[in-house]
């Protein structure tokens, strides 16, 4: 048939069906897939290029909006700088600091630097008097609540008074000025959580732990407490630091609701909703507060998309102009009187971009545009080109019990995804989530750049997506409902023509590593290879072990660890629950594990016990299973060593290449290779071709 005849027939067919097409629903996911397929293919970039670090470790806008303080890394050293908003040159304030976070005092004359062990005040207005404000941690478990929202120059601290032979344990909230002088605001037999002040600066509300409940009390002028709201069964209640003009408490809460929203407490104890996700899918992720009055002006949500909601007319107008200039971006906004500081992120944007915005005129300029740093050597590098990066596409599916779930898919640009290998990257937690419009740790982008489709499922128990989403796992973390979510999401993606069903792998860290072990044990027909980092082989055993460590406090925060887990339907004190989790665990079914598997563990891990991983490896070894095990004896759960990041990405690439047919990875350099050789404990057949079984 001649080409012009074929085109004419196609045009006639289109005209005949056009009325029907006009009323057909738009398949936004398939439209996004078609858009990615039509893009130009990306070149292959070096592995280390996906692991760059930003030169700016933290930034904060002064309350008047006229200065930006930031921490900059150069040549292995972190320094503190001040950048005027008027375009003048930045000046260095401290040549060296170990601070990881910075904040301004309410009057804008001081900078508070927070490190792991202390708070330090730096004079920012030329007044002198920089001083240690407080030590952190220790027996007192002292921690920063925040900057005092009304006093000119003070911070709020929470600390524990350890029990003595003649006195029980107590908890305190303190105010500390920039010279470290302290004022006791409240002392209590119950663990204190948060506080709120009225406009005069008087302590007006406090939140404390009462058993397994967060209880909010009004504080009268004599310091007496009057209960006003009880947040039970892990209902969330987070106090804003300042009451409204009528003295009413503002808080983020999901009491009597599914989604956590901005709420206002009435005198009768009921709640009004002031802001909630217009899309109806996500909790409030962050609030931008007016620096003068402490009132919320912007609510941010991060469900399937990142979105900001202005809470007053002027803010909505300014926000609309900003979003028109930066469409489709994840914008984190800090408010000042004259300027906004905006951190711009996107799934295609490696590293945040910083902007100073005049909300009245709409004028903006990019700031802090320093080159990124190599993850291992700290040398200046270049961000990867955005035009070549994969986009993170929202994808939703219905579980077999009818619940609607969602996650994200990364597609290599310019390629038909139907014929590509597919890798499931499951997040940790399980009480965590994959977020939209963020580049992340670089692993998903690196795999997409090597020609893999990457699926990040938000299985039930993922947080930030409403109470029902969080609680609906009902403790079924063995070979049960949560794992079904991952499997069904993967099969739903394959059914949409995304990925080759014969070339599917699974990988993840922590709980993601656990789901990886489950996948290669119970779904070997689907998952052809697994790479598990710090995986608990028996989830029930591991949470009981955590309960005997200091890690329990960081996980449950305020609620006693066992009570917190019980409300999530995984009570470690319940023998039947623990027996069920064990009976459904990879450890109990090690003989069924019959897929290529690589495990990476840390000797100093306080969240996943190394002995549990080693016990699982010993069982696999006794059963004659073919697997590999690497152990870094000095690594903790997160293993922040730059060499470990590249080593893990190399191993991931290698295993996927071997068993899914993706690109062969570039050989590791001498440093990475030496690290892997030192860490190798069990060498499976997959490693024979790498040379890692031999000393460098």
């Amino acid at each position: 048939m001649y080409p012009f005849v074929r085109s004419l027939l196609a045009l006639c067919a289109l005209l005949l069906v056009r009325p029907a097409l006009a009323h057909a629903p738009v398949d936004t996911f398939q439209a996004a897939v078609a858009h990615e397929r039509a893009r130009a293919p990306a070149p292959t970039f070096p592995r280390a290029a996906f692991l760059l670090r930003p030169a700016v470790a933290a930034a904060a806008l002064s309350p008047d909006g006229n200065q930006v303080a930031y921490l900059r890394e150069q040549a292995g050293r972190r320094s503190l700088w001040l950048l005027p908003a008027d375009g003048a040159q930045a000046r260095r304030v401290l040549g060296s600091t170990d601070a990881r976070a910075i904040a301004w005092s309410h009057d804008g004359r001081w900078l508070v630097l927070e490190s792991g062990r202390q708070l330090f005040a730096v004079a920012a207005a030329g007044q002198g008097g920089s001083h240690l404000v407080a030590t952190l941690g220790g027996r007192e478990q002292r921690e920063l609540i925040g900057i005092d929202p009304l006093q000119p120059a003070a911070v709020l601290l929470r600390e524990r008074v350890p029990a003595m032979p003649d006195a029980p344990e107590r908890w305190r909230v303190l105010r500390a000025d920039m010279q470290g002088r302290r004022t006791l605001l409240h002392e209590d037999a119950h663990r204190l959580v948060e506080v709120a002040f009225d406009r005069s600066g008087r302590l007006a509300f406090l939140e404390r732990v009462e058993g397994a409940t967060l209880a909010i009390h009004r504080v009268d002028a004599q310091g007496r407490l009057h209960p006003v709201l009880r947040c039970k069964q892990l209902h969330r209640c987070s106090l804003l630091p300042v009451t409204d003009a009528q003295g009413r408490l503002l808080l983020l809460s999901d009491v009597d609701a599914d989604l956590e929203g901005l709420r206002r407490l009435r005198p009768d104890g009921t709640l009004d909703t002031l802001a909630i996700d217009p899309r109806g899918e996500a909790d409030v992720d962050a609030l931008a507060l007016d620096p003068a009055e402490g009132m919320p002006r912007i609510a941010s949500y991060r469900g399937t998309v990142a979105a900001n909601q202005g809470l007053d007319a002027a803010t909505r107008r300014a926000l609309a102009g900003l979003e028109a200039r930066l469409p489709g971006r994840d914008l984190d906004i800090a408010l000042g009187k004259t300027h906004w500081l905006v951190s711009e992120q996107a799934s295609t944007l490696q590293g945040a971009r910083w902007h100073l915005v005049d909300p009245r005129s709409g004028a903006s300029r990019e700031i802090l545009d320093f080159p990124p740093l190599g993850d291992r050597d700290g040398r200046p590098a270049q961000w990867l080109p955005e035009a070549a990066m994969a986009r993170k596409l929202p994808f939703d599916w219905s579980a077999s019990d009818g619940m609607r779930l969602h996650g994200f898919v990364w597609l290599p640009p310019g390629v038909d995804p139907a014929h590509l290998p597919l890798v499931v990257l499951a997040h940790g937690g399980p009480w965590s989530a994959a977020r939209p419009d963020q580049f992340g740790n670089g692993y998903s982008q690196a795999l997409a750049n090597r020609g893999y489709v990457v699926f990040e499922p938000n299985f039930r128990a993922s947080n930030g997506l409403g109470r029902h989403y969080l609680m609906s796992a009902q403790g079924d973390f063995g070979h049960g409902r949560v794992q079904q979510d991952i499997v069904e999401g993967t099969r739903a993606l394959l059914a949409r023509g995304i990925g080759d069903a014969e070339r599917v792998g699974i990988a993840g860290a922590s709980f993601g590593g656990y789901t990886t072990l489950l996948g290669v044990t119970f779904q070997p027909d689907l998952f052809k290879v697994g790479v598990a980092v710090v995986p608990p082989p028996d989830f029930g055993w591991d949470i009981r072990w955590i309960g005997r460590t200091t890690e329990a406090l960081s996980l449950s925060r305020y609620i006693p660890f066992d009570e917190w887990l019980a409300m999530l339907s995984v009570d470690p004190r319940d023998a039947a629950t623990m027996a069920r989790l064990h009976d459904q665990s990879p450890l109990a079914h090690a003989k069924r594990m019959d897929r290529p598997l690589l495990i990476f563990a840390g000797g100093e891990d306080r969240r996943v016990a190394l002995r549990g991983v080693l016990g699982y490896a010993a069982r696999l070894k006794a059963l004659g299973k073919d697997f590999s095990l690497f152990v870094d004896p000095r690594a903790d759960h997160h293993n922040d060593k730059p060499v470990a990041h590249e080593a893990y990405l190399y191993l991931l690439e290698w295993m996927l290449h071997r068993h899914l047919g993706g690109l062969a990875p570039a050989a590791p350099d001498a440093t990475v290779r030496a690290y892997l050789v030192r860490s190798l404990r069990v060498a499976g057949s997959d490693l024979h071709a790498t040379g890692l079984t031999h000393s460098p």
Side-chain angles (χ1 to χ4, degrees), residues 428-484:
W431 304 286
S432 180
R435 302 297 186 202
D437 295 328
Q438 294 182 357
F439 193 92
N441 57 23
Y443 295 148
S444 293
Q445 276 286 9
L447 293 181
N449 185 250
R450 271 78 175 131
Y452 297 95
V453 173
V454 180
F455 176 39
E456 299 178 356
N458 276 332
F459 43 83
R460 69 193 74 197
S462 299
N463 63 10
L465 304 170
R467 181 174 174 82
H468 175 67
Y469 213 111
L470 175 72
M471 306 297 285
S472 58
Q474 297 181 341
D476 201 0
F477 295 115
H479 176 45
R481 183 63 260 174
V482 171
Q483 188 70 8
Q484 273 185 275

Side-chain angles (χ1 to χ4, degrees), residues 95-328:
S96 180
T97 176
D98 63 350
R100 60 190 183 191
I102 51 177
W104 290 86
S105 63
H106 184 63
D107 64 4
R109 292 172 53 81
W110 298 87
L111 280 165
V112 178
L113 277 63
E114 181 181 2
S115 69
R117 293 175 293 181
Q118 67 179 22
L119 292 176
F120 193 82
V122 176
Q127 73 271 34
S130 298
H131 201 279
L132 176 69
V133 176
T135 57
L136 300 177
R139 292 183 66 241
E140 297 82 7
Q141 300 174 24
R142 188 178 299 115
E143 57 187 332
L144 175 68
I145 297 176
I147 300 297
D148 192 303
L150 296 170
Q151 294 296 314
V155 299
L156 301 173
L157 303 171
R158 175 176 47 236
E159 69 178 19
R160 167 179 169 264
V161 181
M164 302 292 287
D166 57 345
E169 176 182 85
R170 306 282 292 174
W171 292 89
R172 292 173 175 167
V173 171
L174 308 164
R175 175 182 286 130
D177 68 15
M178 296 300 103
Q179 280 69 49
R181 294 185 292 262
R182 301 181 186 183
T183 302
L184 177 65
L185 299 178
H186 183 79
E187 183 169 326
D188 207 295
H190 295 272
R191 186 184 184 95
L192 296 169
V193 180
E194 293 176 325
V195 294
F197 299 87
D198 65 18
R199 297 303 180 87
S200 71
R202 184 184 66 82
L203 181 64
F205 292 90
L206 64 81
E207 183 178 38
R208 68 184 190 182
V209 180
E210 297 179 6
T213 296
L214 295 179
I216 299 174
H217 295 260
R218 180 175 59 84
V219 185
D220 66 21
Q222 289 72 44
R224 295 184 297 248
L225 303 186
H226 305 271
V228 292
L229 184 66
R230 293 180 65 80
C231 307
K232 304 176 182 179
Q233 292 297 314
L234 298 187
H235 276 289
R236 291 158 290 180
C237 293
S238 180
L239 311 190
L240 271 64
V242 180
T243 64
D244 69 7
Q246 288 73 45
R248 295 171 296 190
L249 178 68
L250 302 178
L251 66 161
L252 291 174
S253 180
D254 63 356
V255 170
D256 301 324
D258 179 43
L259 295 178
E260 185 177 22
L262 175 62
R263 317 288 291 278
R264 181 175 58 211
L265 183 67
R266 292 180 179 179
D268 64 2
T270 59
L271 294 168
D272 293 323
T273 298
L274 305 181
I276 200 164
D277 183 8
R279 297 174 61 91
E281 64 181 26
D283 300 325
V284 173
D285 186 66
L287 290 172
L289 305 182
D290 177 273
E293 299 180 350
M295 291 294 97
R297 302 301 181 204
I298 299 174
S300 300
Y301 310 94
R302 291 175 174 88
T304 58
V305 298
N308 291 297
Q309 177 186 23
L311 303 181
D312 61 85
T315 303
R316 283 193 291 271
R317 286 193 297 271
L319 189 58
L322 175 63
E323 291 177 337
R325 290 191 300 276
L326 299 171

Side-chain angles (χ1 to χ4, degrees), residues 328-580:
R329 301 302 213 184
D330 185 343
L331 305 178
D332 188 10
I333 303 170
L335 306 181
K337 184 176 180 181
T338 61
H339 291 85
W340 292 359
L341 177 63
V342 179
S343 169
E344 172 198 2
Q345 295 188 70
S347 60
T348 53
L349 198 64
Q350 188 182 26
R353 305 296 191 267
W354 297 91
H355 306 268
L356 261 180
V357 178
D358 184 335
R360 292 161 296 187
S361 68
S364 69
R365 66 185 178 97
E366 189 171 343
I367 60 171
L368 312 182
D369 54 344
F370 309 114
L373 308 176
D375 194 35
R376 279 200 282 139
D377 56 23
R379 295 179 182 177
Q382 286 186 320
W383 294 121
L384 288 165
E386 185 176 5
M389 296 295 100
R391 290 174 59 223
K392 196 173 190 177
L393 308 181
F395 175 74
D396 62 90
W397 71 98
S398 289
S400 55
D401 64 353
M403 182 171 171
R404 201 69 180 166
L405 300 166
H406 64 76
F408 299 96
V409 181
W410 306 73
L411 300 178
V415 186
D416 181 1
H419 306 296
L420 298 180
L422 168 63
V423 182
V424 177
L425 284 185
H427 66 70
W431 304 286
S432 180
R435 302 297 186 202
D437 295 328
Q438 294 182 357
F439 193 92
N441 57 23
Y443 295 148
S444 293
Q445 276 286 9
L447 293 181
N449 185 250
R450 271 78 175 131
Y452 297 95
V453 173
V454 180
F455 176 39
E456 299 178 356
N458 276 332
F459 43 83
R460 69 193 74 197
S462 299
N463 63 10
L465 304 170
R467 181 174 174 82
H468 175 67
Y469 213 111
L470 175 72
M471 306 297 285
S472 58
Q474 297 181 341
D476 201 0
F477 295 115
H479 176 45
R481 183 63 260 174
V482 171
Q483 188 70 8
Q484 273 185 275
D485 289 348
I486 297 170
V487 172
E488 290 169 0
T490 305
R491 294 197 186 281
L493 192 61
L494 292 167
R496 296 294 297 273
I498 308 299
D500 181 348
E502 298 303 315
R503 295 193 292 161
V504 180
I506 185 168
S510 193
F511 186 82
Y514 174 66
T515 66
T516 297
L517 298 185
L518 286 170
V520 295
T521 301
F522 294 105
Q523 292 94 30
D525 59 322
L526 178 61
F527 300 117
K528 306 303 190 292
V529 59
V531 178
V533 178
V534 293
D538 183 333
F539 187 65
W541 183 91
D542 199 69
I543 60 176
R544 283 180 292 178
W545 179 79
I546 292 173
R548 299 190 294 270
T549 73
T550 56
E551 194 71 14
L553 183 64
S554 66
L555 284 171
S556 63
R557 288 292 288 159
Y558 309 115
I559 304 298
F561 186 66
D562 287 352
E563 297 290 340
W564 177 71
L565 286 170
M567 288 184 283
L568 291 164
S569 303
V570 281
D571 189 344
R573 301 162 300 187
D574 182 67
T577 297
M578 294 299 102
R580 173 178 56 80

Side-chain angles (χ1 to χ4, degrees), residues 541-542 545 601-606 608-616 629-633:
W541 183 91
D542 199 69
W545 179 79
E604 297 296 326
D605 196 333
R606 295 293 178 265
V608 172
L610 177 61
R611 63 177 177 170
V613 178
L614 295 179
Y616 176 65
L629 171 66
F630 290 83
V631 177
D632 181 336

